[in-house]
Amino acid sequence: MPFEIIRNDITDLKVDVIVNSCDPNPVVGGGVDLMIHQKAGEKLLSSRQKRGVLRAGETFISDAYELKAKYVIHTVAPLWIDGLHNEEELLKKCYQNSLELAKSNDCSSLAFPLIATGSCSFPKDRALSIAIREIGSFLLKNEMDIYLVVFDKTSFVLSEKLFKNVKSYIDDNYAKELKTRYQIKRFRSPSFDNIEFGSVALKEDSLEELLDELDDSFSKTLLRLIDESGKKDSDIYKKANVDRKLFSKIRNNPDYQPSKKTALAFAMALELDP
């Protein structure tokens, strides 16, 4: 079958090329972008830096280094605003340009994530319809084994409605575990030559180390994120199941060092998932 929708970790697929939905700037983003960079190794970031800034819909190809794939196609997804700013056309370009680039590099198999449905907030139903339509149009004239890799349950349920024989390789518990492991934070990583990550996933088992590397204190960063969320302080600390007394202590102490549990509670309350 030349086109399948599967539920899997895209970084584990042995195909000629996997598509990475990357940040416009040459930094490592969150979600799939981070997972791909972690498994590919530092050379992938070097390739991304040599290419420089990309605009929405643009693509380029690089080696996959330590991934099971041969190549990685990097494409910049459009940020969803309201559907009136050319978002759908730009998302179509992501698929069209990626497919043509794979074809020109003699790739016979390719795997896409569901582009733009993470931090870009593209509605999943629209994104899925665009993906299926563009891939289908390409396969009418070309031969290639193409996989659309969906991960979260919402996308999987949507794809099941369109395709009866969708394969599931990852159960809900594993998906939930990975989602918990990858929480967005900003920090500088010495393992990537102090390049600032754009939207970096936070591994639970190294949370304390990453907190130590934040440019601002935990207290200052937390208050800034609450302000950016547009919500009241009380909305966030109640959602994090933190009492007012502890929150007051955090607010008034710039040097406050949170426990792992408290930091994760605030990350989830702020909905910092990729």
Side-chain angles (χ1 to χ4, degrees):
M1 184 177 180
F3 178 34
E4 292 185 67
I5 300 178
I6 62 174
R7 195 175 185 201
N8 205 339
D9 181 345
I10 196 170
T11 63
D12 285 336
L13 297 183
K14 190 174 183 179
V15 291
D16 287 341
V17 59
I18 62 174
V19 177
N20 179 29
S21 182
C22 64
D23 192 281
N25 297 304
V27 297
V28 179
V32 173
D33 190 22
L34 174 78
M35 295 168 71
I36 288 174
H37 275 276
Q38 284 182 326
K39 290 196 176 181
E42 297 180 22
K43 290 182 180 179
L44 186 63
L45 180 59
S46 297
S47 295
R48 178 71 185 88
Q49 290 169 336
K50 290 177 183 178
R51 178 60 177 80
V53 176
L54 293 171
R55 294 178 298 179
E58 290 186 333
T59 58
F60 87 100
I61 192 168
S62 72
D63 289 336
Y65 301 104
E66 297 179 27
L67 290 163
K68 294 178 181 179
K70 296 179 181 177
Y71 305 107
V72 174
I73 289 177
H74 309 256
T75 187
V76 176
L79 180 66
W80 178 266
I81 301 174
D82 55 10
L84 302 176
H85 290 76
N86 209 34
E87 294 100 318
E88 293 196 359
E89 287 302 316
L90 289 171
L91 183 55
K92 289 178 184 178
K93 287 293 183 183
C94 290
Y95 285 98
Q96 292 168 358
N97 291 338
S98 296
L99 289 163
E100 289 300 325
L101 191 53
K103 178 182 176 182
S104 65
N105 282 271
D106 298 320
C107 296
S108 61
S109 57
L110 177 151
F112 281 106
L114 190 53
I115 300 173
T117 57
S119 59
C120 290
S121 303
F122 213 99
K124 289 184 173 64
D125 55 347
R126 294 195 187 193
L128 186 59
S129 294
I130 289 171
I132 292 172
R133 185 165 60 248
E134 294 305 320
I135 293 170
S137 295
F138 177 83
L139 289 175
L140 288 175
K141 301 178 181 179
N142 302 276
E143 290 188 9
M144 190 180 294
D145 292 328
I146 301 176
Y147 303 92
L148 180 61
V149 185
V150 297
F151 189 78
D152 65 281
K153 190 172 183 179
T154 301
S155 300
F156 188 55
V157 171
L158 283 170
S159 63
E160 280 184 314
K161 292 179 180 179
L162 294 172
F163 282 78
K164 293 182 179 179
N165 296 319
V166 174
K167 295 183 178 180
S168 176
Y169 292 97
I170 299 180
D171 62 23
D172 289 340
N173 290 331
Y174 181 55
K176 183 178 180 180
E177 177 187 343
L178 281 187
K179 189 174 182 181
T180 300
R181 285 177 56 203
Y182 291 93
Q183 305 290 338
I184 296 175
K185 285 289 182 183
R186 290 180 181 268
F187 69 98
R188 292 185 179 273
S189 172
S191 64
F192 281 91
D193 297 325
N194 288 326
I195 298 298
E196 185 173 3
F197 284 20
S199 300
V200 175
L202 196 58
K203 283 189 178 180
E204 185 177 358
D205 58 6
S206 60
L207 182 59
E208 291 97 342
E209 289 85 352
L210 299 186
L211 285 171
D212 289 338
E213 295 175 357
L214 286 172
D215 292 335
D216 293 325
S217 67
F218 174 80
S219 176
K220 186 175 180 180
T221 300
L222 174 62
L223 296 176
R224 175 176 56 80
L225 289 172
I226 292 175
D227 288 339
E228 290 175 356
S229 73
K231 297 179 180 179
K232 298 179 181 179
D233 290 353
S234 58
D235 293 335
I236 298 301
Y237 70 69
K238 288 179 181 178
K239 190 173 181 180
N241 199 27
V242 169
D243 62 39
R244 184 162 59 91
K245 185 177 180 180
L246 175 56
F247 182 78
S248 180
K249 183 178 179 180
I250 296 171
R251 171 182 279 280
N252 295 318
N253 181 5
D255 297 321
Y256 180 84
Q257 294 296 319
S259 66
K260 182 191 298 185
K261 180 179 178 181
T262 298
L264 284 174
F266 276 115
M268 295 180 70
L270 286 161
E271 300 178 354
L272 297 180
D273 300 273

